[in-house]
Amino acid sequence: MKVAVLSDIHGNLEALQAVQEDLQLVGPEQVICLGDLVGYGPDPEAVVNLVRELGYRSVLGNHEAALASKRARNWMNFQAKENNISTEALLSEDNLLFCCQLPKTIILSPALFVHGCPPDSVNTYLYMMGDKEVKKTFEESSLELFFVGHTHELRLVSMAEERVVREHLNVGIKVLEKGRQYLINCGSVGQPRDGDARAKYLVWDREGLTLEVRAVHYDVETTADKIIARGFPRGYADRLR
């Protein structure tokens, strides 16, 4: 069974559409989104509509949490707070409710899916977890895989001989060791921050014990132009290039 894992779409319709086309080649049985369907990007309504239409499952991201609770906006910098307010105005009442009611986690044994860090944080970045926190996470759970987003980067964290190992995930296939626990940082569909403008997502083969990082070209300039036309900060457009 193949499961596609998408993270941090961030209102980028062109990136999501390109990934959707690529997914038709992959043919996963399920698609799970790791939150932040909205924020920064110009098309939050269209992105949420498409995710719902396609039947993708999603967890709550920090940008959705900020829509659900004004208090949660305090975790954001000023620019992101203002963008969250603008994003809220672009969502229909139905899609706003959908975003606010997303669950913090999804479990598809032997894996947990969460936006920030396990067990259920939407705000904690993986790089903020020290070795002690990583070991504790593994020791306190019988699950083997923990898929996370939030950083917009591709990383793999595991244990080897009582030592925490942190490595970069590259485009292509990574074979996982049976019985070994992994924290998997899934990159970003709509706003990668690794110097590569392509939309990134993962394919987890549950039987084959592999992870595949896929990178898809899309029309970056169209998205960037729409961000500027929305009156959003130009930096949000520049980050895509």
Side-chain angles (χ1 to χ4, degrees):
M1 176 184 177
K2 290 183 178 180
V3 179
V5 187
L6 282 55
S7 189
D8 296 274
I9 300 169
H10 278 298
N12 188 332
L13 181 62
E14 287 72 32
L16 178 59
Q17 289 172 330
V19 166
Q20 177 198 359
E21 290 182 14
D22 194 63
L23 282 169
Q24 293 175 12
L25 303 175
V26 174
E29 294 185 43
Q30 285 199 51
V31 178
I32 296 179
C33 301
L34 296 180
D36 280 5
L37 305 177
V38 303
Y40 305 135
D43 293 306
E45 178 75 2
V47 163
V48 175
N49 278 336
L50 186 55
V51 166
R52 298 180 70 181
E53 175 188 327
L54 295 170
Y56 296 171
R57 300 173 69 187
S58 183
V59 299
L60 186 79
N62 62 300
H63 282 256
E64 286 84 33
L67 294 172
S69 166
K70 303 304 181 283
R71 183 179 177 184
R73 282 183 180 154
N74 293 331
W75 288 88
M76 295 176 157
N77 61 44
F78 175 79
Q79 199 172 67
K81 286 181 186 178
E82 292 299 302
N83 182 257
N84 192 254
I85 294 169
S86 299
T87 294
E88 181 176 1
L90 293 170
L91 289 169
S92 65
E93 184 176 343
D94 187 44
N95 279 340
L96 178 60
L97 184 63
F98 171 82
C99 288
C100 293
Q101 292 182 338
L102 290 170
K104 284 188 175 182
T105 63
I106 291 172
I107 294 178
L108 184 61
S109 187
L112 171 82
F113 301 82
V114 63
H115 180 68
C117 281
D120 62 0
S121 175
V122 299
N123 290 305
T124 304
Y125 292 96
L126 179 58
Y127 60 72
M128 296 169 66
M129 291 182 69
D131 288 1
K132 288 183 179 180
E133 288 78 16
V134 170
K135 291 178 181 178
K136 183 179 179 181
T137 295
F138 290 156
E139 289 170 355
E140 294 183 350
S141 178
S142 60
L143 296 171
E144 294 180 6
L145 306 179
F146 304 85
F147 289 92
V148 304
H150 199 27
T151 69
H152 300 210
E153 296 179 346
L154 290 154
R155 295 287 186 272
L156 193 66
V157 181
S158 61
M159 295 282 295
E161 299 177 352
E162 299 301 314
R163 182 173 61 89
V164 174
V165 179
R166 302 172 189 263
E167 55 188 304
H168 182 72
L169 266 179
N170 298 308
V171 174
I173 295 176
K174 173 77 174 181
V175 179
L176 304 177
E177 291 184 26
K178 186 174 179 60
R180 187 172 176 179
Q181 292 176 298
Y182 295 89
L183 278 158
I184 304 159
N185 216 150
C186 298
S188 173
V189 168
Q191 198 185 90
R193 296 178 185 171
D194 57 0
D196 182 344
R198 293 177 295 175
K200 318 294 191 321
Y201 74 98
L202 299 184
V203 179
W204 168 39
D205 187 327
R206 296 176 72 188
E207 280 73 40
L209 293 178
T210 61
L211 287 177
E212 181 181 9
V213 178
R214 296 181 68 86
V216 184
H217 289 283
Y218 73 96
D219 187 352
V220 173
E221 292 306 319
T222 291
T223 306
D225 288 345
K226 289 199 291 186
I227 287 173
I228 295 169
R230 283 280 191 208
F232 290 177
R234 181 174 290 270
Y236 293 165
D238 293 338
R239 279 197 306 216
L240 299 180
R241 299 183 171 103

